[in-house]
Amino acid sequence: MPTGTAAVFSATNFLPPPRYPPPATSKTKPTRCHVIPRMSLNQSPSSGPKSSTSSSSSSLLSSITNLLWGPSLPPGLLVATVRTAWETTWQLMMSQLAPSDTSGGYSRPLSQFRATKISAKNLHLYVGLPCPWAHRTLIVRALKGLENAVPVSVAGPGADGSWEFRENPTADNETLRQGLDRANGCKTLKEVYRLRGGGYNGRSTVPMLWDAEKKEVICNESSDIIEILNSGLNGLAENPDLDLSPPLLKGKIEEWNAIVYPNVNNGVYRCGFAQSQEAYDKAVDELFSTLDVLDDHLGRSRYLCGENLTLADVCLFTTLIRFDLVYNVLFKCTKKKLLEYANLHGYMRDIYQIPKVAATCNFTAIMDGYYKTLFPLNPGNIRPTKPASCYHEALLVPSKRESLPILDTTKQHCKLKVTFNLAVLNFRTYIANNSDIG
């Protein structure tokens, strides 16, 4: 309510004026009476007046509800009306936030800019710290030693959920925090997209790789960008010998991605953005069935494809690191916490402890980016307390996974492909029909 309105229609206007006793004289005895202080109905006598607009509005609302139905619950008709209105509004907002199919299942929109090979040298990376898809690119950029070769601008979610840039006095080049657009000086990511030749009116998503010289979007698909960062910029990398997608493992990496992407990476979103009970039940069953299989597999293998970290592990990690922090609560992935999966949780800590990886994880930004931005899922805008298992110190507890034996996973992968009926899926075709949104 506007401040002026709150001042005129203060809750105290609904109360009778105070009655004061007449002054005592030598000929008259003082009359005893009760003084009714001027205060709102929801304020205790010992409390001082509330001056803020929100307090005045809250007092007015409390006064009205007390006058209408006292301490009882609102009448059933009002509850039903408000519930119907909220459900209609929720469905409208969700249709924009998370488009669904006919069954109410989340249908991720297409990526608009794809690339596997690039010739540009003057590159710039746009990311948002809450987004798991953008987080993948930050990890590969750090592990390859491309921090100087590929500068980054960090956007944050605005009030409407779009990505915007904001000056951060405490930010520096060594810390990943929301800040200004270091390449174009734009206020929003949408403005950056519109700088490209021909303009752009589609979804302005992160991550986005930008050609700073030609003012052109190179790619906004995370699976393409991490491939480019891994093998396409070795001449600029400080760690060119690191290959997170070696030729001998490409087949296994794609097999794992074809399992992890739909059921885990996108699976948590299918749970959180489901608009029907049927769609949610299907998504949550597939999510936890996959987590069970992954936990079993990682009990015998340090990483998904054996003893070496690959892009498949990077893609899985960015979902796991957010699981207990966000998805378990906000996205209703409540069957188990990741902490209850001994092998998966140890695997996540193992990757977190790789040099440079922890520095890409900003837990405050992650929690704010979900709990304070996804209004349809959290109308109260309240951010819960961070789980104890997600503190930096807890994640540094040694995983001791380096002692796991080297495992030939060929037979295991065949079994997994049959289990999920994904043997005929080509991951490159599958990912082409999906895009990255946080």
Side-chain angles (χ1 to χ4, degrees):
M1 179 179 291
T3 305
T5 306
V8 175
F9 296 100
S10 170
T12 57
N13 293 334
F14 291 94
L15 296 173
R19 293 171 295 154
Y20 296 100
T25 65
S26 58
K27 295 182 180 181
T28 60
K29 293 182 179 180
T31 303
R32 294 185 178 182
C33 66
H34 295 287
V35 178
I36 302 177
R38 296 176 67 85
M39 64 181 183
S40 63
L41 292 178
N42 68 337
Q43 178 181 320
S44 64
S46 60
S47 302
K50 299 178 180 179
S51 59
S52 69
T53 302
S54 60
S55 297
S56 299
S57 301
S58 177
S59 299
L60 175 59
L61 183 61
S62 297
S63 299
I64 293 173
T65 56
N66 272 290
L67 287 170
L68 290 175
W69 52 76
S72 302
L73 291 173
L77 179 61
L78 177 60
V79 173
T81 301
V82 172
R83 181 172 183 173
T84 300
W86 166 245
E87 288 179 349
T88 302
T89 305
W90 177 82
Q91 289 174 352
L92 176 63
M93 289 188 293
M94 287 295 291
S95 67
Q96 297 297 314
L97 172 68
S100 64
D101 56 25
T102 55
S103 68
Y106 174 48
S107 179
R108 189 173 288 276
L110 302 175
S111 289
Q112 299 299 309
F113 302 94
R114 305 296 304 272
T116 54
K117 295 182 180 180
I118 61 171
S119 57
K121 298 298 181 183
N122 194 358
L123 302 174
H124 195 87
L125 181 62
Y126 285 96
V127 300
L129 298 179
C131 175
W133 319 103
H135 193 182
R136 299 172 171 188
T137 67
L138 288 173
I139 291 175
V140 177
R141 170 179 173 265
L143 294 179
K144 290 289 294 187
L146 288 166
E147 295 93 330
N148 294 325
V150 185
V152 66
S153 289
V154 181
D160 61 352
S162 61
W163 297 105
E164 64 181 27
F165 302 99
R166 189 182 304 117
E167 186 172 6
N168 189 337
T170 62
D172 54 63
N173 292 333
E174 303 300 324
T175 305
L176 284 170
R177 297 176 183 168
Q178 180 181 2
L180 299 177
D181 175 8
R182 299 169 58 193
N184 295 292
C186 294
K187 293 183 178 180
T188 67
L189 187 63
K190 183 177 291 186
E191 292 178 17
V192 180
Y193 271 85
R194 287 177 176 173
L195 290 178
R196 66 177 298 272
Y200 178 69
N201 290 315
R203 298 173 75 98
S204 302
T205 63
V206 292
M208 188 263 277
L209 193 60
W210 175 259
D211 186 331
E213 182 178 352
K214 295 182 179 179
K215 301 290 185 180
E216 182 61 62
V217 177
I218 296 174
C219 183
N220 67 349
E221 168 59 55
S222 71
S223 62
D224 292 346
I225 295 175
I226 59 177
E227 289 281 1
I228 291 170
L229 296 176
N230 175 63
S231 59
L233 302 173
N234 281 334
L236 304 173
E238 296 176 5
N239 192 11
D241 294 332
L242 174 67
D243 190 353
L244 297 171
S245 184
L248 291 177
L249 293 179
K250 280 189 178 294
K252 290 182 179 179
I253 291 172
E254 290 193 355
E255 288 173 13
W256 277 115
N257 283 338
I259 293 167
V260 171
Y261 176 83
N263 299 311
V264 181
N265 298 145
N266 198 44
V268 293
Y269 283 88
R270 290 169 55 217
C271 294
F273 290 165
Q275 297 178 47
S276 71
Q277 188 68 51
E278 177 188 4
Y280 168 78
D281 290 342
K282 183 175 187 295
V284 82
D285 285 345
E286 292 175 354
L287 167 64
F288 283 97
S289 294
T290 306
L291 291 179
D292 289 339
V293 173
L294 288 168
D295 188 67
D296 179 68
H297 172 74
L298 291 169
R300 301 186 301 276
S301 179
R302 184 175 183 181
Y303 298 115
L304 290 178
C305 298
E307 61 177 330
N308 296 316
L309 184 81
T310 67
L311 292 181
D313 298 297
V314 173
C315 293
L316 177 57
F317 171 80
T318 58
T319 297
L320 298 184
I321 198 69
R322 288 163 172 75
F323 197 89
D324 288 355
L325 203 65
V326 175
Y327 303 138
N328 177 259
V329 179
L330 188 63
F331 283 8
K332 306 181 188 70
C333 303
T334 49
K335 186 175 182 180
K336 282 186 180 181
K337 292 182 178 294
L338 190 72
L339 184 62
E340 297 177 59
Y341 287 101
N343 298 319
L344 269 172
H345 195 264
Y347 164 83
M348 180 192 70
R349 298 199 316 273
D350 191 13
I351 297 176
Y352 181 84
Q353 293 166 23
I354 294 173
K356 292 188 174 184
V357 171
T360 67
C361 305
N362 186 324
F363 296 123
T364 299
I366 289 172
M367 294 189 75
D368 283 348
Y370 283 91
Y371 290 108
K372 293 184 176 295
T373 301
L374 298 180
F375 172 77
L377 301 185
N378 190 32
N381 204 36
I382 295 172
R383 187 185 74 189
T385 299
K386 182 164 63 173
S389 61
C390 296
Y391 279 89
H392 179 69
E393 294 76 12
L395 293 169
L396 291 181
V397 174
S399 66
K400 301 180 181 178
R401 293 184 56 79
E402 64 275 3
S403 61
L404 286 172
I406 299 174
L407 176 68
D408 181 359
T409 57
T410 302
K411 294 181 179 180
Q412 179 72 3
H413 275 281
C414 292
K415 178 182 177 182
L416 287 168
K417 287 190 291 184
V418 172
T419 302
F420 293 104
N421 196 27
L422 293 169
V424 296
L425 268 181
N426 182 295
F427 180 66
R428 296 187 190 278
T429 302
Y430 185 91
I431 199 70
N433 294 324
N434 298 277
S435 72
D436 296 329
I437 61 172

